[in-house]
Amino acid sequence: MPANEPSDLHRLFVDAVNAHDLDAVMALFEPESVGLDLDGNTLRGGVAMREFLSGFLSVTRSLEGQTRKVILAGDIALISSNWRAVIVTPGGSSVTSEGTTAEVARRQADGTWRLLIDDPQFLHESLSEVKS
């Protein structure tokens, strides 16, 4: 199911993660998207995003989240959400991780929206600067 509005991206992401559907998660991103992993490391393009998200899905028991804000400028949107995930540790116990995101989404030629830039921990301080 495509995102018809920028805020749909958050709901669709949560639904796909909870279904452990990597292809559905990846369909929300542009092929040349850029993002950060939960440690602030830069991920460039579909291969790097798929590798990270595959690992994330493998340890995520559940994810919940809601859109905080959407700012539109033509075919570009700045969006943000709060999220909370239950993660299974290597020892088998569960921990809760949470954060506030910042993403840039772009309207596609068919009118749907996909993520171009994704930072799942935008409010965490990071020393890395993402450069093109």
Side-chain angles (χ1 to χ4, degrees):
M1 180 177 210
N4 295 313
E5 300 293 331
S7 61
D8 291 344
L9 290 163
H10 294 138
R11 178 183 48 79
L12 293 169
F13 185 88
V14 167
D15 290 349
V17 168
N18 286 328
H20 298 284
D21 186 342
L22 180 58
D23 290 333
V25 173
M26 291 303 301
L28 301 174
F29 289 88
E30 290 195 3
E32 295 305 317
S33 59
V34 174
L36 299 177
D37 65 17
L38 296 177
D39 295 321
N41 299 305
T42 303
L43 307 166
R44 292 193 185 287
V47 173
M49 294 294 287
R50 179 175 283 276
E51 183 178 315
F52 164 70
L53 289 166
S54 176
F56 180 71
L57 290 179
S58 73
V59 298
T60 302
R61 183 171 289 154
S62 65
L63 177 67
E64 58 186 55
Q66 61 186 21
T67 300
R68 295 178 58 244
K69 189 178 281 192
V70 176
I71 302 171
L72 288 173
D75 291 337
I76 303 293
L78 174 63
I79 58 179
S80 178
S81 71
N82 291 323
W83 61 269
R84 175 176 296 165
V86 176
I87 306 291
V88 178
T89 67
S93 62
S94 295
V95 296
T96 300
S97 182
E98 57 187 34
T100 300
T101 70
E103 297 99 2
V104 175
R106 182 168 33 199
R107 189 185 332 255
Q108 306 298 296
D110 66 0
T112 62
W113 292 84
R114 293 176 82 183
L115 295 166
L116 177 63
I117 301 171
D118 180 26
D119 183 352
Q121 294 281 30
F122 187 72
L123 293 184
H124 279 298
E125 290 187 33
S126 175
L127 298 178
S128 64
E129 181 179 330
V130 180
K131 297 180 181 178
S132 58

